Amino acid sequence: MQERAVKTREAILLSAAEVIDEFGFRGASIKKIIERAGVTPGAMYFHFPSKEALAHAVMLEQGTGLELPAGEDGLQRLIDTTLYLAGELQTNPKLRAGVRLAIEQGEFGLQDDTPYQHWIQEFAAQLHAAHRKGELLPETNVDDLAWMLVSSYSGTQLLSQISVGRADLHMRVITLWHFLLPGIAKPSVRKRLTFRR
């Protein structure tokens, strides 16, 4: 029974993500979500008492199921992660909807920076590893840099979405790094970093 409930919840979350990605919070009706999930209204409301609660869950769980690139912690792994996320933002409805909701959350009465803080911590972990390995310039403040990178990445993906449906996001993320790296990484490190998809 418990396993069935978990699967039902996941089906609702995925369907909600797909509908929200397609129509936004306002256009994502409970009816559309229930129909796409193939569940009853009772099952939906058992797991999520309101559309707002469902949207909040989609927003908070945007990163679940992602398989971030493996490798040695540090700058290269962080670059690989940002490029991996660019690809996922082009194809993964759960991540796309979660990101969209983080931007649109005022529409359903929230002011919650939890998803942003999650990515700040993820990026900071790689930057701290890079700092320990001597990859960063000595004056680099890692925590400030992680905050700035997440905010810059968020703006980059948003403008790419608005302009071309994220079709150029890989190129835009690489451009972001080309401008950022001279201010944070040692020249010898910059020479060996790669930007593969």
Side-chain angles (χ1 to χ4, degrees):
M1 192 69 176
Q2 192 174 9
E3 186 182 340
R4 186 176 170 190
V6 169
K7 285 183 178 176
T8 300
R9 184 180 186 277
E10 279 304 307
I12 295 166
L13 274 175
L14 181 57
S15 297
E18 290 170 354
V19 173
I20 290 166
D21 180 38
E22 204 172 326
F23 300 104
F25 175 77
R26 286 180 195 245
S29 69
I30 290 293
K31 184 176 183 234
K32 286 177 188 168
I33 294 166
I34 288 171
E35 285 174 358
R36 190 165 303 195
V39 300
T40 64
M44 156 74 196
Y45 288 111
F46 173 79
H47 291 284
F48 304 101
S50 66
K51 179 180 164 182
E52 290 76 14
L54 176 55
H56 194 202
V58 171
M59 185 181 84
L60 293 180
E61 297 181 37
Q62 62 180 257
T64 57
L66 295 176
E67 295 181 15
L68 298 181
E72 185 180 344
D73 288 345
L75 264 183
Q76 183 63 65
R77 189 170 182 207
L78 178 56
I79 289 167
D80 292 346
T81 297
T82 60
L83 291 171
Y84 165 78
L85 291 172
E88 290 295 301
L89 280 164
Q90 291 172 326
T91 60
N92 183 324
K94 201 168 182 184
L95 179 60
R96 289 164 62 101
V99 167
R100 181 171 184 165
L101 288 167
I103 294 163
E104 296 178 359
Q105 62 180 285
E107 290 187 26
F108 53 103
L110 277 184
Q111 188 174 345
D112 185 353
D113 70 347
T114 301
Y116 296 103
Q117 292 299 333
H118 167 78
W119 292 114
I120 288 169
Q121 289 170 15
E122 287 283 342
F123 289 7
Q126 296 308 316
L127 288 167
H128 279 291
H131 188 264
R132 288 191 298 273
K133 289 165 60 178
E135 295 181 333
L136 302 180
L137 296 173
E139 66 271 19
T140 304
N141 181 312
V142 169
D143 294 321
D144 285 350
L145 175 57
W147 191 97
M148 191 276 301
L149 180 56
V150 169
S151 60
S152 299
Y153 192 96
S154 297
T156 298
Q157 72 81 24
L158 178 59
L159 184 52
S160 174
Q161 166 62 17
I162 292 166
S163 301
V164 293
R166 296 194 183 100
D168 66 351
L169 188 53
H170 278 97
M171 181 196 69
R172 296 298 181 186
V173 171
I174 291 169
T175 301
L176 175 65
W177 278 113
H178 280 308
F179 281 102
L180 180 62
L181 284 170
I184 66 165
K186 292 180 178 175
S188 58
V189 173
R190 295 202 311 266
K191 286 179 187 173
R192 62 178 167 77
L193 295 172
T194 60
F195 298 90
R196 51 189 182 266
R197 294 179 102 168

